[in-house]
Amino acid sequence: MSDIVNVDYSTQIPNNVNLTDDRQVLRALERWHPGYIDWWKTMGPEGFQEALVYLRTAVSVDPKGWAKFDYVKMPQYRWGILLAPQEEGRKIPFGQHYGEPAWQEVPGEYRAMLRRLVVIQGDTEPASVEQQRHLGKTAPSLYDMRNVFQVNVEEGRHLWAMVYILQKYFGRDGREEAEQLLQRRSGDLDKPRMLGAFNEATPDWLSFHMFTFFTDRDGKMQLESLAQSGFDPLSRTCRFMLTEEAHHMFVGETGIGRTIQRTCEAMKAAGIEDPSGITKVRDLGVIDLPTIQKKLNLHYSLSLDLFGSEVSTNAANAFNASLKGRFQETKIEDDHKLENSTYPVLKLVDGEIKRVDEPALTAINMRLRDDYTADCQRGLDRWNKIIDRVGVNFRFQLPHVAFHRQIGEFKDVKASPSGELLDGSSWNNHKDKWLPSKDDGDFIQSLMRQVVEPGNFASWIAPPRVGIDNKPGDFEYVKLAA
Ligand SMILES: [Fe+2]
Ligand SMILES: [Fe+2]
């Protein structure tokens, strides 16, 4: 019997989807498994495959107690297939099929569109593992090292989640796509990952924390909108992924928060009042606030590109087809079909940035991006509170959406972080003030030294307020192989 809450660990692939009675899918997954392990060993965390890591593993989808913590060698992590429990009588919450019973099988007319949505989501999961594979070597503490590995194994599980959907519901072409997901590589010239931000390097820990704050948060928004899907298995798998995703954003937000705190405290202790006195601040072995702002500008703008064009017929089609909804769709009070409504979109009109009302259907990406921006802003507000508490005079700000864009309405113009349009030469004169320069990168790199004594932290980051799983400050989160 299948048990939708507890996970069956008797099979090679832990699951709560009754794989034992689903021979064909079980066989497809078992055939895919060695390639996955091979990918993990070659593209996963470099140099730590033998380390014992204090990881959480999902053992249930019960929100009250879904994970257990234990020491695990990463290649032996139990990557499972876990779907949130099926909601009795769930109705499609938006689009043309609004109010119809949710689909348990792929609707034939939308097969290609649905497969593409699943593949794009699936491709981001292994990409971030590849991007982060060198970070263990410069981890500022065992606590942080454990966190990056936790994020990595869960991104691996998210790949499994998407591969299950492909193999179970899309037959042969699904199996081919699942294979391709193991072939593409982040940053590879011939076979890159599908989306831009997932081909960028993650060279240091500040980048990693920015990535988990900004880029994983795009992931959260995408999962939130797929969790609304009329295709019920996708909705259920995304709902459970969101449970894990919350930790990734916690790692990002607190990682940057701890960095800011350390910088401000060091400035105070040294009697430095002016945050723009970069050299003096850097001499303290901490990262100056203006450089953190530049990193923020970079990662926010790269992540905005992930939402696609502001005005998009693809997004309209996916919404209309009841495949991909809006953030918190069921809490929005409107007709959930958007046939006659509009949504304000920032556009370039005659060389000026203007707010224009567009049909709400084609502005779906824009709306999701606005929700994302609001979510990011709340994180910035919390960082600014840290600065205030220590008593330093500085504020982090999100750059304007026209700043440093490669996709959408503003891809062909240059704009300052405050949204002022610039010509090419003034952009070039200023860009090192707004985006990390090579110098900034070198400086950050110079601070990246591995710290492995339990309870110790690198100079540039404050310890966390509480440990993972309530462990004490000097807990050995990673036992490195001898
Ligand atoms: Fe993920
Ligand atoms: Fe994530």
Side-chain angles (χ1 to χ4, degrees), residues 169-199:
Y169 296 98
F170 291 90
R172 188 165 62 156
D173 36 339
R175 290 193 292 278
E176 280 163 15
E177 294 284 11
E179 206 38 56
Q180 286 304 308
L181 286 167
L182 293 177
Q183 303 303 322
R184 287 185 287 270
R185 290 286 181 272
S186 175
D188 191 284
L189 287 180
D190 300 321
K191 282 190 168 180
R193 293 292 173 184
M194 297 169 86
L195 302 174
F198 291 89
N199 288 302

PDB file of all heavy atoms in Angstrom, residues 169-199:
ATOM      1  N   TYR A 169       5.468  10.580 -16.730  1.00  0.00           N
ATOM      2  CA  TYR A 169       4.354  11.144 -17.502  1.00  0.00           C
ATOM      3  C   TYR A 169       4.680  11.461 -18.954  1.00  0.00           C
ATOM      4  O   TYR A 169       3.793  11.805 -19.711  1.00  0.00           O
ATOM      5  CB  TYR A 169       3.826  12.403 -16.798  1.00  0.00           C
ATOM      6  CG  TYR A 169       3.249  12.087 -15.436  1.00  0.00           C
ATOM      7  CD1 TYR A 169       3.999  12.277 -14.275  1.00  0.00           C
ATOM      8  CD2 TYR A 169       1.962  11.572 -15.318  1.00  0.00           C
ATOM      9  CE1 TYR A 169       3.472  11.977 -13.028  1.00  0.00           C
ATOM     10  CE2 TYR A 169       1.423  11.266 -14.078  1.00  0.00           C
ATOM     11  CZ  TYR A 169       2.190  11.465 -12.935  1.00  0.00           C
ATOM     12  OH  TYR A 169       1.665  11.156 -11.707  1.00  0.00           O
ATOM     13  N   PHE A 170       5.960  11.369 -19.345  1.00  0.00           N
ATOM     14  CA  PHE A 170       6.278  11.766 -20.714  1.00  0.00           C
ATOM     15  C   PHE A 170       6.956  10.667 -21.535  1.00  0.00           C
ATOM     16  O   PHE A 170       7.530  10.947 -22.582  1.00  0.00           O
ATOM     17  CB  PHE A 170       7.151  13.030 -20.704  1.00  0.00           C
ATOM     18  CG  PHE A 170       6.415  14.248 -20.232  1.00  0.00           C
ATOM     19  CD1 PHE A 170       6.406  14.588 -18.893  1.00  0.00           C
ATOM     20  CD2 PHE A 170       5.705  15.044 -21.126  1.00  0.00           C
ATOM     21  CE1 PHE A 170       5.721  15.704 -18.444  1.00  0.00           C
ATOM     22  CE2 PHE A 170       5.022  16.160 -20.691  1.00  0.00           C
ATOM     23  CZ  PHE A 170       5.021  16.493 -19.336  1.00  0.00           C
ATOM     24  N   GLY A 171       6.887   9.425 -21.044  1.00  0.00           N
ATOM     25  CA  GLY A 171       7.360   8.303 -21.848  1.00  0.00           C
ATOM     26  C   GLY A 171       8.758   8.495 -22.395  1.00  0.00           C
ATOM     27  O   GLY A 171       9.643   8.986 -21.704  1.00  0.00           O
ATOM     28  N   ARG A 172       8.928   8.131 -23.667  1.00  0.00           N
ATOM     29  CA  ARG A 172      10.273   8.097 -24.210  1.00  0.00           C
ATOM     30  C   ARG A 172      10.936   9.467 -24.281  1.00  0.00           C
ATOM     31  O   ARG A 172      12.093   9.635 -23.923  1.00  0.00           O
ATOM     32  CB  ARG A 172      10.291   7.454 -25.592  1.00  0.00           C
ATOM     33  CG  ARG A 172      11.743   7.258 -26.023  1.00  0.00           C
ATOM     34  CD  ARG A 172      11.894   6.354 -27.166  1.00  0.00           C
ATOM     35  NE  ARG A 172      11.204   6.917 -28.318  1.00  0.00           N
ATOM     36  CZ  ARG A 172      11.506   6.620 -29.558  1.00  0.00           C
ATOM     37  NH1 ARG A 172      12.460   5.774 -29.812  1.00  0.00           N
ATOM     38  NH2 ARG A 172      10.846   7.154 -30.556  1.00  0.00           N
ATOM     39  N   ASP A 173      10.191  10.479 -24.734  1.00  0.00           N
ATOM     40  CA  ASP A 173      10.849  11.799 -24.799  1.00  0.00           C
ATOM     41  C   ASP A 173      11.166  12.323 -23.399  1.00  0.00           C
ATOM     42  O   ASP A 173      12.138  13.050 -23.213  1.00  0.00           O
ATOM     43  CB  ASP A 173      10.114  12.836 -25.653  1.00  0.00           C
ATOM     44  CG  ASP A 173       8.618  12.739 -25.576  1.00  0.00           C
ATOM     45  OD1 ASP A 173       8.115  11.656 -25.208  1.00  0.00           O
ATOM     46  OD2 ASP A 173       7.944  13.745 -25.859  1.00  0.00           O
ATOM     47  N   GLY A 174      10.387  11.912 -22.416  1.00  0.00           N
ATOM     48  CA  GLY A 174      10.706  12.268 -21.029  1.00  0.00           C
ATOM     49  C   GLY A 174      12.016  11.639 -20.598  1.00  0.00           C
ATOM     50  O   GLY A 174      12.842  12.272 -19.948  1.00  0.00           O
ATOM     51  N   ARG A 175      12.217  10.363 -20.982  1.00  0.00           N
ATOM     52  CA  ARG A 175      13.468   9.693 -20.617  1.00  0.00           C
ATOM     53  C   ARG A 175      14.665  10.348 -21.316  1.00  0.00           C
ATOM     54  O   ARG A 175      15.735  10.501 -20.729  1.00  0.00           O
ATOM     55  CB  ARG A 175      13.395   8.197 -20.955  1.00  0.00           C
ATOM     56  CG  ARG A 175      12.441   7.425 -20.047  1.00  0.00           C
ATOM     57  CD  ARG A 175      12.615   5.929 -20.168  1.00  0.00           C
ATOM     58  NE  ARG A 175      12.197   5.389 -21.463  1.00  0.00           N
ATOM     59  CZ  ARG A 175      10.916   5.107 -21.783  1.00  0.00           C
ATOM     60  NH1 ARG A 175       9.944   5.319 -20.911  1.00  0.00           N
ATOM     61  NH2 ARG A 175      10.621   4.611 -22.961  1.00  0.00           N
ATOM     62  N   GLU A 176      14.454  10.773 -22.556  1.00  0.00           N
ATOM     63  CA  GLU A 176      15.546  11.464 -23.258  1.00  0.00           C
ATOM     64  C   GLU A 176      15.884  12.794 -22.590  1.00  0.00           C
ATOM     65  O   GLU A 176      17.059  13.141 -22.420  1.00  0.00           O
ATOM     66  CB  GLU A 176      15.176  11.692 -24.732  1.00  0.00           C
ATOM     67  CG  GLU A 176      15.400  10.434 -25.556  1.00  0.00           C
ATOM     68  CD  GLU A 176      14.683  10.461 -26.905  1.00  0.00           C
ATOM     69  OE1 GLU A 176      14.236  11.553 -27.339  1.00  0.00           O
ATOM     70  OE2 GLU A 176      14.560   9.379 -27.512  1.00  0.00           O
ATOM     71  N   GLU A 177      14.869  13.521 -22.198  1.00  0.00           N
ATOM     72  CA  GLU A 177      15.111  14.796 -21.497  1.00  0.00           C
ATOM     73  C   GLU A 177      15.851  14.544 -20.179  1.00  0.00           C
ATOM     74  O   GLU A 177      16.748  15.312 -19.803  1.00  0.00           O
ATOM     75  CB  GLU A 177      13.796  15.531 -21.211  1.00  0.00           C
ATOM     76  CG  GLU A 177      13.056  16.026 -22.455  1.00  0.00           C
ATOM     77  CD  GLU A 177      13.683  17.268 -23.077  1.00  0.00           C
ATOM     78  OE1 GLU A 177      14.806  17.641 -22.688  1.00  0.00           O
ATOM     79  OE2 GLU A 177      13.033  17.853 -23.970  1.00  0.00           O
ATOM     80  N   ALA A 178      15.467  13.468 -19.489  1.00  0.00           N
ATOM     81  CA  ALA A 178      16.110  13.145 -18.198  1.00  0.00           C
ATOM     82  C   ALA A 178      17.594  12.892 -18.413  1.00  0.00           C
ATOM     83  O   ALA A 178      18.441  13.289 -17.602  1.00  0.00           O
ATOM     84  CB  ALA A 178      15.440  11.930 -17.563  1.00  0.00           C
ATOM     85  N   GLU A 179      17.920  12.239 -19.508  1.00  0.00           N
ATOM     86  CA  GLU A 179      19.311  11.974 -19.867  1.00  0.00           C
ATOM     87  C   GLU A 179      20.057  13.288 -20.145  1.00  0.00           C
ATOM     88  O   GLU A 179      21.169  13.498 -19.678  1.00  0.00           O
ATOM     89  CB  GLU A 179      19.293  11.076 -21.114  1.00  0.00           C
ATOM     90  CG  GLU A 179      20.490  10.197 -21.300  1.00  0.00           C
ATOM     91  CD  GLU A 179      21.045   9.614 -20.008  1.00  0.00           C
ATOM     92  OE1 GLU A 179      20.280   8.947 -19.272  1.00  0.00           O
ATOM     93  OE2 GLU A 179      22.242   9.835 -19.758  1.00  0.00           O
ATOM     94  N   GLN A 180      19.419  14.153 -20.905  1.00  0.00           N
ATOM     95  CA  GLN A 180      20.025  15.452 -21.245  1.00  0.00           C
ATOM     96  C   GLN A 180      20.331  16.294 -20.004  1.00  0.00           C
ATOM     97  O   GLN A 180      21.293  17.051 -19.978  1.00  0.00           O
ATOM     98  CB  GLN A 180      19.092  16.259 -22.173  1.00  0.00           C
ATOM     99  CG  GLN A 180      19.049  15.735 -23.605  1.00  0.00           C
ATOM    100  CD  GLN A 180      20.427  15.669 -24.220  1.00  0.00           C
ATOM    101  OE1 GLN A 180      21.167  16.643 -24.202  1.00  0.00           O
ATOM    102  NE2 GLN A 180      20.789  14.501 -24.738  1.00  0.00           N
ATOM    103  N   LEU A 181      19.481  16.148 -18.991  1.00  0.00           N
ATOM    104  CA  LEU A 181      19.692  16.926 -17.761  1.00  0.00           C
ATOM    105  C   LEU A 181      21.016  16.566 -17.098  1.00  0.00           C
ATOM    106  O   LEU A 181      21.583  17.361 -16.350  1.00  0.00           O
ATOM    107  CB  LEU A 181      18.528  16.706 -16.784  1.00  0.00           C
ATOM    108  CG  LEU A 181      17.223  17.414 -17.176  1.00  0.00           C
ATOM    109  CD1 LEU A 181      16.054  16.904 -16.341  1.00  0.00           C
ATOM    110  CD2 LEU A 181      17.368  18.926 -17.018  1.00  0.00           C
ATOM    111  N   LEU A 182      21.510  15.350 -17.377  1.00  0.00           N
ATOM    112  CA  LEU A 182      22.813  14.944 -16.838  1.00  0.00           C
ATOM    113  C   LEU A 182      23.966  15.304 -17.777  1.00  0.00           C
ATOM    114  O   LEU A 182      25.126  15.164 -17.415  1.00  0.00           O
ATOM    115  CB  LEU A 182      22.835  13.435 -16.577  1.00  0.00           C
ATOM    116  CG  LEU A 182      21.933  12.900 -15.475  1.00  0.00           C
ATOM    117  CD1 LEU A 182      22.019  11.384 -15.394  1.00  0.00           C
ATOM    118  CD2 LEU A 182      22.282  13.524 -14.127  1.00  0.00           C
ATOM    119  N   GLN A 183      23.632  15.728 -18.988  1.00  0.00           N
ATOM    120  CA  GLN A 183      24.680  16.012 -19.980  1.00  0.00           C
ATOM    121  C   GLN A 183      25.106  17.472 -19.993  1.00  0.00           C
ATOM    122  O   GLN A 183      26.277  17.782 -20.174  1.00  0.00           O
ATOM    123  CB  GLN A 183      24.211  15.624 -21.392  1.00  0.00           C
ATOM    124  CG  GLN A 183      23.789  14.164 -21.561  1.00  0.00           C
ATOM    125  CD  GLN A 183      24.895  13.197 -21.176  1.00  0.00           C
ATOM    126  OE1 GLN A 183      26.053  13.441 -21.449  1.00  0.00           O
ATOM    127  NE2 GLN A 183      24.519  12.106 -20.517  1.00  0.00           N
ATOM    128  N   ARG A 184      24.139  18.387 -19.849  1.00  0.00           N
ATOM    129  CA  ARG A 184      24.497  19.808 -19.891  1.00  0.00           C
ATOM    130  C   ARG A 184      25.349  20.147 -18.665  1.00  0.00           C
ATOM    131  O   ARG A 184      25.292  19.485 -17.648  1.00  0.00           O
ATOM    132  CB  ARG A 184      23.238  20.672 -19.934  1.00  0.00           C
ATOM    133  CG  ARG A 184      22.515  20.641 -21.277  1.00  0.00           C
ATOM    134  CD  ARG A 184      21.337  21.600 -21.312  1.00  0.00           C
ATOM    135  NE  ARG A 184      20.224  21.120 -20.518  1.00  0.00           N
ATOM    136  CZ  ARG A 184      19.247  20.339 -20.980  1.00  0.00           C
ATOM    137  NH1 ARG A 184      19.236  19.952 -22.232  1.00  0.00           N
ATOM    138  NH2 ARG A 184      18.272  19.939 -20.169  1.00  0.00           N
ATOM    139  N   ARG A 185      26.170  21.196 -18.814  1.00  0.00           N
ATOM    140  CA  ARG A 185      27.060  21.611 -17.732  1.00  0.00           C
ATOM    141  C   ARG A 185      27.042  23.128 -17.605  1.00  0.00           C
ATOM    142  O   ARG A 185      27.139  23.835 -18.613  1.00  0.00           O
ATOM    143  CB  ARG A 185      28.518  21.201 -18.038  1.00  0.00           C
ATOM    144  CG  ARG A 185      28.801  19.715 -17.990  1.00  0.00           C
ATOM    145  CD  ARG A 185      28.849  19.198 -16.563  1.00  0.00           C
ATOM    146  NE  ARG A 185      29.133  17.772 -16.511  1.00  0.00           N
ATOM    147  CZ  ARG A 185      28.204  16.801 -16.560  1.00  0.00           C
ATOM    148  NH1 ARG A 185      26.920  17.115 -16.669  1.00  0.00           N
ATOM    149  NH2 ARG A 185      28.555  15.521 -16.489  1.00  0.00           N
ATOM    150  N   SER A 186      27.002  23.589 -16.362  1.00  0.00           N
ATOM    151  CA  SER A 186      27.031  25.026 -16.124  1.00  0.00           C
ATOM    152  C   SER A 186      28.295  25.654 -16.718  1.00  0.00           C
ATOM    153  O   SER A 186      29.396  25.188 -16.460  1.00  0.00           O
ATOM    154  CB  SER A 186      26.993  25.289 -14.622  1.00  0.00           C
ATOM    155  OG  SER A 186      27.127  26.671 -14.376  1.00  0.00           O
ATOM    156  N   GLY A 187      28.107  26.695 -17.522  1.00  0.00           N
ATOM    157  CA  GLY A 187      29.239  27.431 -18.066  1.00  0.00           C
ATOM    158  C   GLY A 187      29.922  26.774 -19.249  1.00  0.00           C
ATOM    159  O   GLY A 187      30.854  27.339 -19.801  1.00  0.00           O
ATOM    160  N   ASP A 188      29.445  25.587 -19.660  1.00  0.00           N
ATOM    161  CA  ASP A 188      30.068  24.889 -20.788  1.00  0.00           C
ATOM    162  C   ASP A 188      29.717  25.603 -22.100  1.00  0.00           C
ATOM    163  O   ASP A 188      28.575  25.987 -22.320  1.00  0.00           O
ATOM    164  CB  ASP A 188      29.561  23.441 -20.815  1.00  0.00           C
ATOM    165  CG  ASP A 188      30.344  22.573 -21.773  1.00  0.00           C
ATOM    166  OD1 ASP A 188      30.132  22.687 -23.014  1.00  0.00           O
ATOM    167  OD2 ASP A 188      31.172  21.785 -21.298  1.00  0.00           O
ATOM    168  N   LEU A 189      30.713  25.768 -22.959  1.00  0.00           N
ATOM    169  CA  LEU A 189      30.468  26.508 -24.199  1.00  0.00           C
ATOM    170  C   LEU A 189      29.578  25.720 -25.161  1.00  0.00           C
ATOM    171  O   LEU A 189      28.741  26.283 -25.855  1.00  0.00           O
ATOM    172  CB  LEU A 189      31.788  26.842 -24.886  1.00  0.00           C
ATOM    173  CG  LEU A 189      32.617  27.934 -24.203  1.00  0.00           C
ATOM    174  CD1 LEU A 189      33.910  28.174 -24.969  1.00  0.00           C
ATOM    175  CD2 LEU A 189      31.811  29.228 -24.069  1.00  0.00           C
ATOM    176  N   ASP A 190      29.767  24.408 -25.213  1.00  0.00           N
ATOM    177  CA  ASP A 190      29.001  23.595 -26.163  1.00  0.00           C
ATOM    178  C   ASP A 190      27.660  23.149 -25.607  1.00  0.00           C
ATOM    179  O   ASP A 190      26.667  23.099 -26.320  1.00  0.00           O
ATOM    180  CB  ASP A 190      29.816  22.361 -26.562  1.00  0.00           C
ATOM    181  CG  ASP A 190      31.125  22.758 -27.218  1.00  0.00           C
ATOM    182  OD1 ASP A 190      31.096  23.743 -27.993  1.00  0.00           O
ATOM    183  OD2 ASP A 190      32.151  22.123 -26.938  1.00  0.00           O
ATOM    184  N   LYS A 191      27.655  22.776 -24.342  1.00  0.00           N
ATOM    185  CA  LYS A 191      26.413  22.281 -23.744  1.00  0.00           C
ATOM    186  C   LYS A 191      26.098  23.015 -22.451  1.00  0.00           C
ATOM    187  O   LYS A 191      26.150  22.438 -21.356  1.00  0.00           O
ATOM    188  CB  LYS A 191      26.565  20.780 -23.428  1.00  0.00           C
ATOM    189  CG  LYS A 191      26.424  19.894 -24.633  1.00  0.00           C
ATOM    190  CD  LYS A 191      26.340  18.447 -24.182  1.00  0.00           C
ATOM    191  CE  LYS A 191      25.908  17.549 -25.330  1.00  0.00           C
ATOM    192  NZ  LYS A 191      25.829  16.157 -24.901  1.00  0.00           N
ATOM    193  N   PRO A 192      25.798  24.307 -22.551  1.00  0.00           N
ATOM    194  CA  PRO A 192      25.552  25.067 -21.316  1.00  0.00           C
ATOM    195  C   PRO A 192      24.210  24.694 -20.688  1.00  0.00           C
ATOM    196  O   PRO A 192      23.382  24.050 -21.333  1.00  0.00           O
ATOM    197  CB  PRO A 192      25.510  26.516 -21.814  1.00  0.00           C
ATOM    198  CG  PRO A 192      25.034  26.401 -23.227  1.00  0.00           C
ATOM    199  CD  PRO A 192      25.586  25.108 -23.755  1.00  0.00           C
ATOM    200  N   ARG A 193      24.012  25.072 -19.459  1.00  0.00           N
ATOM    201  CA  ARG A 193      22.699  25.002 -18.839  1.00  0.00           C
ATOM    202  C   ARG A 193      21.773  26.001 -19.543  1.00  0.00           C
ATOM    203  O   ARG A 193      22.231  26.892 -20.255  1.00  0.00           O
ATOM    204  CB  ARG A 193      22.805  25.284 -17.331  1.00  0.00           C
ATOM    205  CG  ARG A 193      23.556  24.192 -16.576  1.00  0.00           C
ATOM    206  CD  ARG A 193      22.763  22.895 -16.550  1.00  0.00           C
ATOM    207  NE  ARG A 193      23.489  21.753 -15.981  1.00  0.00           N
ATOM    208  CZ  ARG A 193      22.974  20.523 -15.948  1.00  0.00           C
ATOM    209  NH1 ARG A 193      21.774  20.271 -16.447  1.00  0.00           N
ATOM    210  NH2 ARG A 193      23.666  19.535 -15.426  1.00  0.00           N
ATOM    211  N   MET A 194      20.466  25.845 -19.344  1.00  0.00           N
ATOM    212  CA  MET A 194      19.523  26.560 -20.203  1.00  0.00           C
ATOM    213  C   MET A 194      19.393  28.053 -19.902  1.00  0.00           C
ATOM    214  O   MET A 194      19.089  28.842 -20.786  1.00  0.00           O
ATOM    215  CB  MET A 194      18.159  25.881 -20.128  1.00  0.00           C
ATOM    216  CG  MET A 194      18.208  24.446 -20.667  1.00  0.00           C
ATOM    217  SD  MET A 194      16.716  23.507 -20.319  1.00  0.00           S
ATOM    218  CE  MET A 194      15.728  24.002 -21.733  1.00  0.00           C
ATOM    219  N   LEU A 195      19.598  28.448 -18.645  1.00  0.00           N
ATOM    220  CA  LEU A 195      19.357  29.843 -18.272  1.00  0.00           C
ATOM    221  C   LEU A 195      20.649  30.551 -17.872  1.00  0.00           C
ATOM    222  O   LEU A 195      21.523  29.956 -17.241  1.00  0.00           O
ATOM    223  CB  LEU A 195      18.358  29.920 -17.116  1.00  0.00           C
ATOM    224  CG  LEU A 195      16.990  29.275 -17.362  1.00  0.00           C
ATOM    225  CD1 LEU A 195      16.160  29.291 -16.090  1.00  0.00           C
ATOM    226  CD2 LEU A 195      16.240  29.963 -18.497  1.00  0.00           C
ATOM    227  N   GLY A 196      20.714  31.845 -18.220  1.00  0.00           N
ATOM    228  CA  GLY A 196      21.933  32.631 -18.063  1.00  0.00           C
ATOM    229  C   GLY A 196      22.564  32.578 -16.678  1.00  0.00           C
ATOM    230  O   GLY A 196      23.746  32.233 -16.541  1.00  0.00           O
ATOM    231  N   ALA A 197      21.793  32.917 -15.646  1.00  0.00           N
ATOM    232  CA  ALA A 197      22.367  33.009 -14.293  1.00  0.00           C
ATOM    233  C   ALA A 197      22.968  31.678 -13.846  1.00  0.00           C
ATOM    234  O   ALA A 197      23.820  31.655 -12.961  1.00  0.00           O
ATOM    235  CB  ALA A 197      21.304  33.466 -13.291  1.00  0.00           C
ATOM    236  N   PHE A 198      22.541  30.592 -14.466  1.00  0.00           N
ATOM    237  CA  PHE A 198      23.032  29.271 -14.071  1.00  0.00           C
ATOM    238  C   PHE A 198      24.290  28.857 -14.835  1.00  0.00           C
ATOM    239  O   PHE A 198      24.784  27.752 -14.677  1.00  0.00           O
ATOM    240  CB  PHE A 198      21.920  28.229 -14.203  1.00  0.00           C
ATOM    241  CG  PHE A 198      20.837  28.446 -13.178  1.00  0.00           C
ATOM    242  CD1 PHE A 198      19.769  29.281 -13.444  1.00  0.00           C
ATOM    243  CD2 PHE A 198      20.939  27.866 -11.923  1.00  0.00           C
ATOM    244  CE1 PHE A 198      18.790  29.520 -12.482  1.00  0.00           C
ATOM    245  CE2 PHE A 198      19.978  28.101 -10.953  1.00  0.00           C
ATOM    246  CZ  PHE A 198      18.890  28.932 -11.238  1.00  0.00           C
ATOM    247  N   ASN A 199      24.778  29.792 -15.653  1.00  0.00           N
ATOM    248  CA  ASN A 199      26.065  29.554 -16.306  1.00  0.00           C
ATOM    249  C   ASN A 199      27.139  30.513 -15.789  1.00  0.00           C
ATOM    250  O   ASN A 199      28.260  30.500 -16.251  1.00  0.00           O
ATOM    251  CB  ASN A 199      25.921  29.695 -17.823  1.00  0.00           C
ATOM    252  CG  ASN A 199      25.160  28.511 -18.411  1.00  0.00           C
ATOM    253  OD1 ASN A 199      25.573  27.364 -18.261  1.00  0.00           O
ATOM    254  ND2 ASN A 199      24.020  28.776 -19.040  1.00  0.00           N
TER     255      ASN A 199
END
